[in-house]
Amino acid sequence: MFLEVALPLPLQQTFYYRCLVPEFSGIQLGQRVLVPFSNRKLTGYVVNKHVQLPSDSPAETSIKEVIDVLDNATLISSELFRLAQWVSDYYFASLGEVLKACLPPRINFRSQKKLSITSKGMEALGDQGHEPSLSPAEKNILHVLAGRESLNSRQLEKLVGSRIKESDLRKLACRNFVQFVQLVDEKVLSEKLQLVIALRTDSRGALEQTKLTPLQVSVVRALETRAGPVLLSEFQREHKVSYSTLQSLERKGIIRLWKDKIKRDPMKDLGHIPPPKSRDLTTEQRQALENIDATAQSSNFAAVLLHGVTGSGKTEIYLNLIERMLQEEKDSLILMPEIGLTPRVVQEFRSRLGHDVAILHSGLSDGERFDEWWRIKRGEAKVVVGTRSAVFAPLQNLKLIVIDEEHDPSYKQQESPRYHARDAGLVRGKMLNALVILGSATPAVETFYNARSGKYQYIRLASRVHSRPLPEVKLVNMRMEFLEAEDRSILSKALRTAIQDRLDRNEQILILLNRRGFSAFVLCRSCGQNIQCRNCSISLTYHKAKNILLCHYCAYGQRVPKLCPRCSSEHLYFLGEGTEKLEALLEKNFPNAKVARLDRDSAQKKGAHARILSQFQNRELDILLGTQMISKGHDFPNVTLVGILSADHTLSFPDFHAAERTFQLLSQMSGRAGRGDFPGEVIIQTYYPEHYCLQFVALHDYEGFYEKEIRFRKFIHYPPFTAVANILVRDRNLDSAA
C-alpha cells in the first residue's frame, strides 16, 4: 500500500510512502504515521491511500517506507478532517499544519539532530605521538563527546562551557571525527502519573497486630478521614510526614502507595465558583430565545446574528441554549476572542452547568490542554469554552456553536496555519447541520451585510437588562484643551475632574489607552531620526520598567542608547504616551487611589490576567487602565466612569477597516460603564471630534455608522462587495524578498 502523507511543515504538497505491514491495511484518514523526511523523522498525517501509485507521483524506487503507525485508530474524526481540508484549501494553509492544530500540543514524535564521536575521533583524541592538528576548541568538543552516546548542540555547549562554532563541527565531521545522527525524540506529552496514598481496605487486622509509633497513628487517623486516595505530595505537605514513615506503614500492610493518573485541571485557579445567578429573562431575551428555538427545530444549518447592545444579556441567552442542548445530549462550543475573557465566562458556566465545561486555549499549560482535549474527545465534557483554536475541539455531537464578539479581529490567526475562526466555525456548523450564533454589540460590517441580505437570521436586543440606560458619552476636543491648558497633561481637565468625583463616591474607573510601553518612540532632536527595529523598520517603543526599546511586531529588543545611532548626538527625546506612562501619571495625580495596569506586559505570567481582573471585580482597585484587553466582555457593576485616551489613534491606520475597528473598540469600551445600579459616563479624548465614527459612538448608533460605512465600501469596491487577500513576502535577504 502507498500512503499519501501531509507533514506539519509550511508546504503545500503531500508526500508518498510505502507501507509494507499487512495489519495496517485498515489505516484511516488523519491517522498519524512516523516517516523519514530529508534527514529527519517526522510525524505526518495520512490523507489518502493508494494500491497503485498515481501517474503524477514520484518513481516507485525513490519512495521511502513508513517507519511506524503511531495510533491504533485516527485521533481526528472524519468531520474534523473535512474541516481541516476546507481550511487548507480556502486559506492556502498547509494541510499538515492544520491537522496538527486539531490535536493537543506535544504529542507528535519528531527527530532531533545529535552528535556523537566516531572511532576515528577516539583515535585522534588518544593519539599522543602524532598530533592530529586539532584546535583547542575541537579537542574540547571531542573530550566532551568521548564516553557519551550522543548530545544535541545545546547539551554540548552546556558541557563545553562556551558557544560552539558551526564551522568547528563541520571540520570535525569532514574529517570523520564526529558524526551527526537523527534520533527520534520520545519526550511527548502523555497522561500525568503521581504517587497517591490510601488506607488498605483490609488494614484492620494489621492494625490490631502491629505496634505503631505516635506519628504512624496520626497518619492512619488522617487517612481514615479521607473518602479515597490522596496525593502523596499533598498529604506530606499537610502532615509533615517523611516518605520513610509511609514506606514503613506500607510494609506493615496498613497503607497502599501507587502511581495513579492525575488530571491537570485548568480550572483550579478560578477560585470560588459563585452560586448560579437569577435566571429571570427580559421580554426581549424571551422573544429572542423563542425565535432561535424555532430556527433550531428545523435540524438544518442556520446562522443567527444576535445583535445586542452592551449589557443586554447575550450571555444569558447562550446559557439557556446550552442547557437545552445538554438536555438533548448535544454538545456546544463557545468561542471567545481573548484568553482574558475565558475565566469569567467559565466561572459563570461552571456555576450553571457543572463539570460538563472544558477550556481550550493557548494560555493553559501543555499538560492542561492535553488533559482537556482528551476529556472532550472521550465525551466527558459536553461544553467547550475557548479561543480561536478551540474551533477544532474534538466534540462528538456538536449542534451549537456560539461565536461571541464575532467582530473581533483576534479570531484571525496571523501565523501559520492562517485561518479565521469565525468563518471556520460557520463552515463547521454547516457541515454538521448545527446552529451557529454570532453575538456582538458592534457586528462586523460583512456580518451585518449578510444579515441585511437574508443570509443570516437577524435578532436584535435593543435594551440593557433591568432597563438600565446606556452611558452618556462626551467628546473632549484635545485641540482646544491643548490651547487652553497650562500643564499639557495627557489627561484632560474634564477627565481629571470626573476621576476625582468617582473616587470621592467610592466608584470605579476604567481607562483605555491602546498603546503599550512608556513612550511611543525615541527621537533625536539633532538629526530627526527615530530609533527603529532592525527587522521591521518600525519605531521601537520605550518600556521604562525593563529599560529597553521593544518592537511590538517581532519582539526585537535593545538597550536604550546614550547617543543617537545615526549622528551620535546626546539629545534623545522620548515622545508619545503608553500605558506605563499613564499608570505613573495616575498614581501621581491621585495618590490615594489604588491603580493597576492590564496589558500584554503586565499579564505575561500565567494567571496574572485573571488575578488583576479579580482584584478589580472584588473592588480591591479603584482605577484599572489598559489596552484593548479591558474593552470587551467584562461586567463590573461598580464602574461608572470610562475614560478613553488617543481615541482617534487607530483612525490613521492604513487599513480600510480603520473606522470600523475604531467604532467597535470605542463602543465596546463605552459599554463597560453603568452596568450596575448607577448610571455611567464615558469621556473620549480626541483631536478629531468631527469624524463620523466618533459622532456615531457618542450617539450609540451602530445602524447610522453602518449606513455611512457601507456607502464608502460600495463606492470604492471593498468588502463585502469584493474579497481581498493579503500576500506576505518574507525572506532573510531584503533583495530576494523585493
Side-chain angles (χ1 to χ4, degrees):
M1 191 200 309
F2 297 97
L3 302 181
E4 199 173 339
V5 175
L7 297 172
L9 299 170
L11 301 169
Q12 287 296 329
Q13 73 265 41
T14 53
F15 299 88
Y16 291 91
Y17 291 91
R18 189 195 309 272
C19 192
L20 298 177
V21 186
E23 57 262 35
F24 291 145
S25 58
I27 283 177
Q28 301 164 282
L29 299 188
Q31 203 158 340
R32 296 187 307 148
V33 288
L34 188 66
V35 295
F37 181 76
S38 185
N39 60 350
R40 292 181 284 171
K41 296 168 187 173
L42 295 175
T43 299
Y45 308 91
V46 177
V47 297
N48 214 334
K49 299 186 291 184
H50 305 274
V51 176
Q52 290 184 328
L53 282 173
S55 57
D56 58 347
S57 64
E60 188 172 336
T61 52
S62 67
I63 293 178
K64 299 176 181 178
E65 291 181 22
V66 169
I67 298 169
D68 197 7
V69 177
L70 299 175
D71 308 301
N72 294 326
T74 182
L75 301 178
I76 299 170
S77 66
S78 58
E79 173 258 321
L80 270 180
F81 186 79
R82 282 188 294 133
L83 178 66
Q85 284 182 311
W86 177 84
V87 169
S88 174
D89 291 342
Y90 187 77
Y91 295 104
F92 295 93
S94 156
L95 179 56
E97 289 187 312
V98 181
L99 289 168
K100 183 182 178 182
C102 295
L103 295 173
R106 285 181 47 209
I107 70 163
N108 283 347
F109 292 90
R110 57 182 301 168
S111 63
Q112 193 177 31
K113 186 167 75 172
K114 293 196 173 185
L115 203 66
S116 63
I117 190 169
T118 63
S119 55
K120 192 174 178 182
M122 290 294 288
E123 288 173 12
L125 198 59
D127 193 349
Q128 302 296 327
H130 300 88
E131 175 58 50
S133 66
L134 293 170
S135 70
E138 291 171 337
K139 282 183 182 177
N140 202 7
I141 290 169
L142 292 179
H143 273 296
V144 168
L145 289 173
R148 292 180 173 88
E149 284 188 17
S150 58
L151 297 171
N152 61 33
S153 55
R154 187 177 297 176
Q155 292 168 330
L156 184 59
E157 281 188 347
K158 191 175 179 181
L159 291 168
V160 168
S162 62
R163 189 163 183 78
I164 295 173
K165 293 180 183 176
E166 191 68 31
S167 57
D168 287 336
L169 296 180
R170 280 201 300 269
K171 286 176 189 174
L172 289 170
C174 287
R175 297 168 71 182
N176 199 22
F177 291 163
V178 300
Q179 63 181 358
F180 291 101
V181 290
Q182 289 287 334
L183 298 175
V184 175
D185 183 5
E186 297 192 2
K187 289 182 180 177
V188 293
L189 267 179
S190 59
E191 292 176 307
K192 188 175 183 179
L193 299 176
Q194 275 191 315
L195 277 170
V196 294
I197 179 175
L199 277 177
R200 292 183 68 95
T201 53
D202 56 351
S203 63
R204 181 58 53 195
L207 278 170
E208 291 171 355
Q209 299 171 16
T210 308
K211 188 176 181 181
L212 301 180
T213 66
L215 179 58
Q216 289 173 333
V217 171
S218 69
V219 169
V220 173
R221 296 286 175 262
L223 288 172
E224 284 174 341
T225 63
R226 302 285 186 142
V230 59
L231 276 176
L232 177 65
S233 56
E234 180 186 310
F235 187 82
Q236 286 184 294
R237 189 167 56 251
E238 285 178 11
H239 299 281
K240 305 291 189 294
V241 57
S242 68
Y243 187 58
S244 58
T245 300
L246 299 174
Q247 281 183 310
S248 176
L249 283 169
E250 185 184 33
R251 284 194 296 270
K252 292 175 180 179
I254 295 168
I255 66 168
R256 283 182 63 214
L257 287 167
W258 76 101
K259 282 191 174 182
D260 204 358
K261 292 175 186 175
I262 302 298
K263 182 182 175 297
R264 292 161 281 210
D265 185 6
M267 302 186 201
K268 64 180 182 298
D269 298 325
L270 286 178
H272 172 67
I273 302 295
K277 293 180 181 177
S278 169
R279 304 188 190 193
D280 296 336
L281 298 177
T282 65
T283 304
E284 272 193 332
Q285 286 174 320
R286 278 197 299 272
Q287 186 62 52
L289 271 171
E290 287 172 13
N291 292 338
I292 294 171
D293 263 344
T295 302
Q297 293 306 317
S298 68
S299 299
N300 294 322
F301 164 69
V304 178
L305 172 58
L306 183 61
H307 181 194
V309 298
T310 54
S312 58
K314 294 186 289 294
T315 304
E316 184 59 40
I317 291 176
Y318 304 156
L319 280 163
N320 274 268
L321 289 170
I322 294 165
E323 285 175 327
R324 296 177 191 192
M325 290 291 167
L326 287 172
Q327 288 168 7
E328 298 173 16
E329 298 188 344
K330 295 174 182 175
D331 299 344
S332 304
L333 171 63
I334 298 85
L335 295 181
M336 314 292 296
E338 299 274 0
I339 290 172
L341 296 176
T342 52
R344 179 192 64 80
V345 172
V346 169
Q347 272 191 327
E348 195 169 345
F349 279 36
R350 276 293 281 271
S351 173
R352 281 272 285 271
L353 309 173
H355 290 273
D356 277 321
V357 183
I359 314 177
L360 272 186
H361 59 70
S362 60
L364 307 179
S365 70
D366 288 345
E368 288 169 342
R369 284 167 68 193
F370 180 90
D371 286 353
E372 287 291 271
W373 189 91
W374 276 106
R375 198 159 73 90
I376 299 161
K377 177 75 172 170
R378 290 191 292 257
E380 296 167 12
K382 312 292 285 181
V383 181
V384 174
V385 179
T387 50
R388 60 176 178 260
S389 59
V391 75
F392 300 113
L395 290 158
Q396 304 297 317
N397 189 25
L398 181 58
K399 289 299 175 184
L400 172 66
I401 300 173
V402 174
I403 304 168
D404 195 31
E405 311 290 1
E406 63 81 28
H407 65 274
D408 200 292
S410 299
Y411 281 123
K412 189 175 180 181
Q413 170 109 336
Q414 299 288 2
E415 59 273 352
S416 188
R418 290 171 175 80
Y419 63 92
H420 199 299
R422 178 194 62 208
D423 298 341
L426 283 161
V427 169
R428 188 174 185 186
K430 190 171 184 179
M431 287 177 173
L432 296 170
N433 285 327
L435 173 65
V436 180
I437 307 291
L438 304 165
S440 178
T442 53
V445 167
E446 294 88 345
T447 302
F448 199 73
Y449 178 82
N450 285 333
R452 281 278 179 95
S453 61
K455 189 174 181 181
Y456 302 156
Q457 184 181 343
Y458 179 70
I459 294 176
R460 179 82 164 112
L461 299 174
S463 306
R464 284 183 158 186
V465 295
H466 306 307
S467 302
R468 292 182 180 122
L470 288 165
E472 180 187 1
V473 179
K474 297 177 182 175
L475 299 178
V476 175
N477 188 337
M478 294 302 286
R479 300 199 303 268
M480 299 302 297
E481 187 84 13
F482 184 78
L483 292 173
E484 295 170 4
E486 296 177 3
D487 59 355
R488 302 285 191 269
S489 171
I490 61 172
L491 296 174
S492 65
K493 184 178 178 181
L495 184 54
R496 287 201 302 269
T497 303
I499 291 172
Q500 189 58 61
D501 176 57
R502 295 320 191 280
L503 292 173
D504 293 341
R505 283 154 45 179
N506 197 30
E507 294 167 3
Q508 290 176 295
I509 302 115
L510 281 171
I511 298 184
L512 171 74
L513 176 57
N514 201 21
R515 191 187 291 127
R516 292 157 51 206
F518 192 86
S519 297
F521 59 96
V522 180
L523 183 76
C524 174
R525 282 179 159 175
S526 295
C527 68
Q529 179 75 19
N530 65 329
I531 301 177
Q532 295 186 341
C533 174
R534 67 182 185 187
N535 303 320
C536 310
S537 302
I538 298 292
S539 296
L540 295 175
T541 301
Y542 175 52
H543 288 251
K544 189 176 182 181
K546 295 181 179 178
N547 195 33
I548 61 168
L549 295 173
L550 194 64
C551 175
H552 289 175
Y553 284 79
C554 73
Y556 165 76
Q558 68 173 61
R559 292 187 177 184
V560 182
K562 293 181 180 179
L563 302 175
C564 171
R566 185 180 182 186
C567 70
S568 301
S569 168
E570 60 185 20
H571 300 295
L572 295 177
Y573 190 50
F574 294 80
L575 289 170
E577 299 83 21
T579 47
E580 276 188 47
K581 191 172 187 176
L582 177 59
E583 181 182 27
L585 182 65
L586 288 167
E587 288 172 343
K588 179 183 177 182
N589 285 359
F590 306 101
N592 296 323
K594 294 185 281 292
V595 181
R597 170 170 55 92
L598 182 58
D599 55 24
R600 203 184 301 172
D601 301 313
S602 65
Q604 282 184 341
K605 291 184 179 178
K606 186 183 177 185
H609 192 292
R611 177 178 50 78
I612 294 168
L613 289 175
S614 178
Q615 287 174 335
F616 193 69
Q617 184 82 50
N618 298 332
R619 301 182 65 173
E620 297 168 26
L621 301 169
D622 301 308
I623 303 173
L624 179 62
L625 68 116
T627 55
Q628 61 181 353
M629 295 170 79
I630 66 170
S631 68
K632 43 204 158 185
H634 306 301
D635 189 5
F636 303 120
N638 201 49
V639 170
T640 57
L641 175 66
V642 165
I644 302 175
L645 280 59
S646 299
D648 35 30
H649 164 63
T650 48
L651 285 173
S652 61
F653 283 7
D655 181 353
F656 72 90
H657 288 114
E660 179 188 4
R661 297 274 193 263
T662 303
F663 180 88
Q664 289 164 343
L665 177 63
L666 302 191
S667 297
Q668 292 285 337
M669 190 66 208
S670 299
R672 300 313 109 205
R675 297 171 77 99
D677 297 330
F678 303 105
E681 181 184 11
V682 181
I683 295 177
I684 299 177
Q685 297 183 178
T686 172
Y687 286 94
Y688 196 5
E690 304 87 5
H691 196 286
Y692 71 94
C693 168
L694 302 178
Q695 292 290 325
F696 285 121
V697 169
L699 296 170
H700 302 287
D701 185 2
Y702 174 83
E703 282 84 353
F705 169 79
Y706 170 81
E707 294 298 344
K708 186 99 173 175
E709 184 71 12
I710 203 72
R711 284 200 297 273
F712 285 136
R713 299 280 186 95
K714 191 171 186 178
F715 179 71
I716 53 181
H717 205 58
Y718 272 155
F721 302 101
T722 189
V724 176
N726 185 36
I727 298 175
L728 179 68
V729 180
R730 266 200 277 198
D731 198 285
R732 291 180 181 274
N733 183 284
L734 181 61
D735 292 334
S736 299

